[in-house]
Amino acid sequence: MTSPVLQTERLTLRPPSAEDFEAWAAFHTEEDTMRFLGGVQKRGAAWRNMCTMVGAWHVRGFAMFSVIERDTGRWVGRIGPWQPEGWPGREVGWGIARAFAGRGYAYEAACAAMDYAVDTLGWDHVIHTIDPDNSGSIKLAQRLGSVNQGPVSLPAPLEDFRVDAWGQSADQWRARRARTTA
């Protein structure tokens, strides 16, 4: 498998690797960060979560990227394409560690991940599954140009989570990208 590496002005996006685990595990202990991402996870569960992402790269050919700060090499979070079995659509999802929140990294990485999903993976539509109370993610989805397409159901064991699908077509993303780069 060829592992894609995406570069933005301040970030590197690459598939997760063993060197990411300590920061990945710490991220999963942050109550405020994990509130809308399934809840806090102990170290063993965080390990299995990371291995799920690594496995999805091999099985599906895509999954969320580890986001790395270029200047420091520090792990920032995970962002990227995601579609486990039974998911309500092809998603670009995100999660940024608390120490990096508020710097515009989520937007920068999400734009690169949207480009990758549309241009490389050939997705014709992208969603973001967001809890209606998650104002930060809603603001990011809106900044990306996505609109609320209504409630969707997640597969077990996540069926009790309340989420809306925010999304847009590939053509809408391309048009938005053309306007913002012009």
Side-chain angles (χ1 to χ4, degrees), residues 123-139:
W123 290 4
D124 60 358
H125 190 265
V126 177
I127 66 167
H128 323 289
T129 56
I130 303 174
D131 183 297
D133 293 330
N134 187 344
S135 60
S137 281
I138 289 169
K139 287 176 187 172

Side-chain angles (χ1 to χ4, degrees), residues 48-59:
R48 288 184 292 281
N49 179 287
M50 189 177 87
C51 288
T52 296
M53 288 293 170
V54 171
W57 274 103
H58 291 279
V59 172

